[in-house]
Amino acid sequence: MKITRVVAEAESLRRSSPVRDALQTLDTHGACRVTIETDEGISGRASIGFGRLDAAPALLAALIADELAPAAVGEDPFMIRGIRDKLQALTDYHGTAGLATLGIAGIDIALWDLVGRAVGRPVWRLLGARRDRVPAYAMVGWLNYDLDDLKRVCLKAVEQGFRGVKIKVGAPTLEEDTARIEAVRAVIGPRTALMVDANQVFARHEALRRGRVYEQLGCYWFEEPLRADDTEGLAELARALTIPIASGENNYGRRQFRALFEARAVDIVQPDLRRAGGVTECLEIGLLADAFDVPYASHGGGVHLHLLAALPNALFLESGLLPEGAPTRLIDGCLPLPEGASGNRCARPARRATWVDGNWSLPQITALDDGAPGGVDRRWPGARRLNIGDVWPGMSGKSCALRAKMAVPPPDEDAKRSSEEGRGRATPMFSRIVPRAPAGTSSSSPRAESRSSPGEVAVLMSADRPADRRPSAQFVQVAEGEVARASRQMLRQTRMAVPAPREGAVVAAVELERAP
């Protein structure tokens, strides 16, 4: 398997309700989405998020497209560390720390996603899992919230089952910080962990003064009291205070983290998956931290859940509130690890669809893959996202229009020559599709090169006529992985159409994702 293409796409939207910490206002929902494609039709995806700076996603996309992607094309996607090292060496001249590291992280995360898809396993199992659930806390207490809003969101986090809540500190006065901490403690009770985060705004003497108060108030940790690069100052605070010092979200690469550990500058390390450099780099950072007896608490959630499942020193996953109606539930304050997930989304987005009462019931489909549940992938005009539990109605005699992995690729030159005789080559990418062609339906055009092996599939591909014209519909039956012959026009077809099957029929291994 070889990488054939790396695509980076940028998006930046304004937040309708900006939030603020002591350092900055986060007013943007930005993302740079990375897709890695291979010659075997398997792809991996990642998304690098931005909370501010409207132009940043586009700048990162340009850096990936112009500098990193050409270096990754042609590589074996399973050689993840080798690709990471190659990209770090490539960017060393202008400096790897910074935007280049975010780009490397995007490629690294997408590679792990791709590998998970290729082997059909969640990434946390590939990393060498230690646990199947991870303790979680909720970061909910933004500095622009008044006391009533602060208490409301913190109480909701506790009601959802989180083991702790985190609030922002660094208000103009210590008295304001104290009032916020006491208000939250009053509603969450004495047993729920309460973390405080200063976002790097204090000088050393002020951090020491406020830190002594925070520890007296029973705060669980004091996060980013100083600039991320003030390793000496962090070490001084760690020695002077009994409250644990947490930092690391603004450090880049394992060597910066090594300096933190050697100086004993952090009691809890908090890498950010983007700035640290991706799954591979964070795994190495976490294991290095374990050698120094430093617990690991993620900055951010998402893909970090997979890493924390594998790390022996995992302490907490950072999360926000769980969305209303989300299928995920905390179990004893822990988030369960997903089965079938790879990287930041499912390796097998849907495995089974069942025909019931004239509808395809799709209980496991989660996406047409562009991010948040319920969204629509604008790259597919008119495409509809299916969520867990959705039923896609009315397919009797109609095209299902699944832009899916069964989409037939354009023919190669050999196939183009044979297509003049009405035949080309295509390789269906499903492990099994049933029901097969009904009795009496022509299967002679397009023909199948059948070896009569088990696992035959029946796929109706209709590019030039509607699928509900049953007498003229054409089926192709092929064994798993076998080469089928189809017309040149059908080779361009990107839809899956299935006639009304019998009650209880199943279509298995459907993967809703953009076709190559």
Side-chain angles (χ1 to χ4, degrees), residues 458-482:
V459 182
L460 169 62
M461 294 183 291
S462 177
D464 53 354
R465 55 179 65 90
D468 56 0
R469 291 173 59 183
R470 298 288 297 282
S472 61
Q474 303 294 328
F475 283 80
V476 53
Q477 294 187 0
V478 298
E480 181 178 355
E482 190 170 337

Side-chain angles (χ1 to χ4, degrees), residues 80-81 83-85 88 96 101 104-105 108-109 112 127 251-258 261 271-289 296 304 307 311:
I80 297 178
R81 278 192 175 81
I83 294 171
R84 186 270 314 264
D85 292 347
Q88 287 181 346
T96 301
T101 294
I104 294 170
D108 184 84
I109 296 166
W112 280 104
L127 295 174
N251 290 90
Y252 291 83
R254 61 193 181 279
R255 289 177 176 81
Q256 287 192 13
F257 284 90
R258 181 183 64 187
F261 302 146
D272 177 281
L273 197 66
R274 305 159 300 171
R275 300 186 188 103
V279 174
T280 305
E281 198 84 2
C282 281
L283 179 63
E284 294 173 0
I285 291 165
L287 295 174
L288 182 61
Y296 186 114
H304 238 129
L307 270 164
L311 289 175

Side-chain angles (χ1 to χ4, degrees), residues 438-502:
T441 304
S442 170
S443 61
S444 59
S445 177
R447 290 173 19 191
E449 298 176 340
S450 176
R451 293 189 290 267
S452 300
S453 56
E456 284 191 341
V457 301
V459 182
L460 169 62
M461 294 183 291
S462 177
D464 53 354
R465 55 179 65 90
D468 56 0
R469 291 173 59 183
R470 298 288 297 282
S472 61
Q474 303 294 328
F475 283 80
V476 53
Q477 294 187 0
V478 298
E480 181 178 355
E482 190 170 337
V483 173
R485 291 181 176 176
S487 72
R488 184 176 185 182
Q489 189 171 16
M490 289 180 180
L491 285 171
R492 300 195 191 98
Q493 176 64 2
T494 59
R495 294 189 175 189
M496 166 184 169
V498 181
R502 66 186 184 277

Side-chain angles (χ1 to χ4, degrees), residues 2-48:
K2 298 295 182 183
I3 296 170
T4 56
R5 193 162 72 126
V6 179
V7 180
E9 299 172 310
E11 180 181 65
S12 187
L13 303 172
R14 304 298 293 179
R15 287 181 187 249
S16 57
S17 300
V19 292
R20 181 171 57 84
D21 57 39
L23 179 67
Q24 61 203 339
T25 296
L26 303 177
D27 55 5
T28 298
H29 282 300
C32 176
R33 296 188 177 92
V34 180
T35 302
I36 297 177
E37 301 172 358
T38 66
D39 56 359
E40 295 187 15
I42 300 171
S43 61
R45 295 173 177 82
S47 182
I48 302 297

Side-chain angles (χ1 to χ4, degrees), residues 140-348:
V140 291
W142 295 100
L143 203 58
N144 56 305
Y145 291 176
D146 62 26
L147 291 183
D148 289 339
D149 287 339
L150 188 64
K151 291 188 289 185
R152 176 183 54 80
V153 295
C154 290
L155 179 59
K156 187 172 183 178
V158 173
E159 291 171 345
Q160 288 187 344
F162 285 99
R163 290 193 179 184
V165 297
K166 186 168 78 179
I167 68 172
K168 300 296 185 179
V169 292
T173 67
L174 176 57
E175 289 72 24
E176 291 175 81
D177 279 352
T178 301
R180 290 168 59 80
I181 294 168
E182 290 176 340
V184 171
R185 178 59 72 192
V187 297
I188 67 172
R191 295 187 178 181
T192 301
L194 174 55
M195 299 82 160
V196 293
D197 182 1
N199 292 98
Q200 309 183 80
V201 298
F202 294 139
R204 293 186 189 183
H205 66 278
E206 184 64 12
L208 181 59
R209 185 174 80 97
R210 296 204 189 197
R212 286 171 175 158
V213 175
Y214 301 154
E215 65 185 14
Q216 291 171 3
L217 292 170
C219 295
Y220 189 84
W221 74 50
F222 184 10
E223 183 173 335
E224 286 203 308
L226 305 174
R227 285 179 53 89
D229 57 3
D230 188 1
T231 303
E232 182 182 344
L234 289 168
E236 287 181 8
L237 282 181
R239 289 191 295 268
L241 297 172
T242 58
I243 184 173
I245 300 300
S247 191
E249 71 177 80
N250 285 290
N251 290 90
Y252 291 83
R254 61 193 181 279
R255 289 177 176 81
Q256 287 192 13
F257 284 90
R258 181 183 64 187
L260 285 179
F261 302 146
E262 289 176 339
R264 301 288 177 179
V266 290
D267 301 298
I268 297 166
V269 68
Q270 298 177 298
D272 177 281
L273 197 66
R274 305 159 300 171
R275 300 186 188 103
V279 174
T280 305
E281 198 84 2
C282 281
L283 179 63
E284 294 173 0
I285 291 165
L287 295 174
L288 182 61
D290 185 55
F292 281 88
D293 297 317
V294 176
Y296 186 114
S298 71
H299 176 251
V303 183
H304 238 129
L305 181 63
H306 295 256
L307 270 164
L308 289 167
L311 289 175
N313 52 336
L315 179 63
F316 272 117
L317 176 85
E318 182 176 37
S319 175
L321 290 175
L322 298 178
E324 295 293 339
T328 302
R329 294 289 183 272
L330 289 159
I331 302 172
D332 296 328
C334 299
L335 279 171
L337 271 297
E339 290 294 346
S342 173
N344 58 349
R345 53 179 53 83
C346 290
R348 304 290 180 197

